[in-house]
Amino acid sequence: MRLGIVSPLLCVMGFCVSGETQAQKWADLTMTVRLDGEAPMPRAFAAAAGFCGLANVMEEFLVVDPATKGIANIVFMIDSKKAKLERHQFHPDLQLLPEAKPEIDNIDCAFVPHVTAIRAGQTLLMKNTAPIGHNAKFSFFKNEEVNPMIVAGGSREIQTKVEEPGPIKVECSIHPWMSGYVIVAGHPYVGISDKVGKIVIEKLPAGIELDFKLWHESQNKSIEEISLSGKKGTWPKGSVKLTLREGANDFGNLLIKPERFKSK
């Protein structure tokens, strides 16, 4: 007698599903953020003249590439207040905390990079390659607030333990025009636009709805009115739900009007 092949199906009330767990698939997201209007003229900090050996230290209030109108320092990330991803839902390559320490340097009386993303639990290396001393005040909400003095050529480690509810400002009280931001996230899915406005987030879960949020330090309340790939839309409080397909997901240009940013 021939034995029938047992199908790995579970059937209940006429509906059948596979008894095998389908492997999670993964997605990469890209988009380019551009200013949909006239870019502001870059300005220098008048108070910075004579410090740091530079004629001009430029403001970083709103950095726009003059050739492409790409906006730097825009943050686009999974909103962990809404999308509760557990560690086992991260891509296998991203489940462990990276061993490398993210770095912020003091260069030409500016924090470089201006916006930095780290994972909760990581150690941040605060460097000072400048020929003069700086301090770096981290105004954490949930981690221990620190304000180390960093001598010329020195560095200090900043330890984080838990996720922060929002971007954390970093300031130098010696040179009060200096500021930057740190995103301390409980997940690895944070994208920060580069100097031409490009955002890349890799190895996201595909096929499930994810909550994202958009943030910039000079946003006017929140960035809600946008145009994505030529289609106008509204993202309430800068939030949007996306379901990504497996592989590359290029959303093209994300256009933001100048009035969505505070004037200075």
Side-chain angles (χ1 to χ4, degrees):
M1 181 178 67
R2 293 182 62 185
L3 295 177
I5 298 174
V6 179
S7 174
L9 295 179
L10 175 65
C11 296
V12 180
M13 297 180 65
F15 293 93
C16 297
V17 296
S18 173
E20 299 177 350
T21 303
Q22 187 175 8
Q24 174 65 56
K25 294 179 170 55
W26 306 100
D28 297 334
L29 178 153
T30 57
M31 66 173 66
T32 301
V33 190
R34 302 185 194 276
L35 192 69
D36 188 13
E38 201 65 33
M41 290 294 294
R43 296 191 304 180
F45 287 104
F51 290 91
C52 309
L54 296 173
N56 292 313
V57 177
M58 304 308 294
E59 289 184 346
E60 296 175 289
F61 172 77
L62 180 60
V63 180
V64 180
D65 180 64
T68 66
K69 294 191 177 179
I71 307 172
N73 303 320
I74 291 274
V75 177
F76 189 67
M77 61 183 289
I78 283 185
D79 187 348
S80 57
K81 295 178 182 177
K82 297 179 180 179
K84 301 296 183 182
L85 288 180
E86 302 294 336
R87 187 178 293 269
H88 71 269
Q89 294 177 288
F90 303 165
H91 188 281
D93 294 347
L94 304 177
Q95 291 182 6
L96 297 178
L97 289 179
E99 294 183 3
K101 298 180 177 70
E103 296 182 0
I104 301 176
D105 203 349
N106 288 279
I107 301 174
D108 295 339
C109 278
F111 293 119
V112 180
H114 186 65
V115 182
T116 304
I118 68 172
R119 294 266 294 275
Q122 274 191 291
T123 299
L124 174 71
L125 186 63
M126 190 73 216
K127 298 171 64 177
N128 182 16
T129 58
I132 58 175
H134 292 278
N135 72 299
K137 181 181 179 182
F138 289 77
S139 300
F140 290 123
F141 293 104
K142 292 191 173 182
N143 292 280
E144 181 181 358
E145 185 173 308
V146 292
N147 187 11
M149 180 66 192
I150 308 167
V151 298
S155 65
R156 291 286 296 273
E157 291 187 348
I158 310 297
Q159 180 65 51
T160 66
K161 295 181 179 179
V162 295
E163 183 175 17
E164 289 288 341
I168 300 302
K169 195 168 188 178
V170 186
E171 299 173 281
C172 174
S173 56
I174 302 172
H175 310 104
W177 62 86
M178 288 178 59
S179 67
Y181 289 87
V182 175
I183 313 295
V184 185
H187 58 75
Y189 301 118
V190 182
I192 302 170
S193 62
D194 63 15
K195 63 182 181 180
V196 293
K198 188 172 183 178
I199 290 174
V200 179
I201 309 178
E202 298 179 325
K203 300 177 180 177
L204 288 147
I208 62 173
E209 188 176 72
L210 298 170
D211 289 271
F212 289 85
K213 63 180 178 181
L214 187 71
W215 179 86
H216 185 271
E217 65 182 277
S218 301
Q219 65 191 33
N220 188 6
K221 294 183 179 178
S222 59
I223 299 173
E224 299 188 350
E225 298 172 7
I226 58 88
S227 174
L228 184 62
S229 297
K231 297 180 180 179
K232 292 184 178 180
T234 301
W235 291 0
K237 296 183 179 179
S239 297
V240 63
K241 295 179 182 291
L242 297 175
T243 301
L244 306 175
R245 65 177 182 273
E246 183 183 10
N249 293 256
D250 186 355
F251 286 90
N253 290 323
L254 175 67
L255 303 182
I256 304 174
K257 295 283 188 182
E259 54 264 32
R260 300 314 307 171
F261 299 95
K262 299 173 184 176
S263 59
K264 193 172 182 180

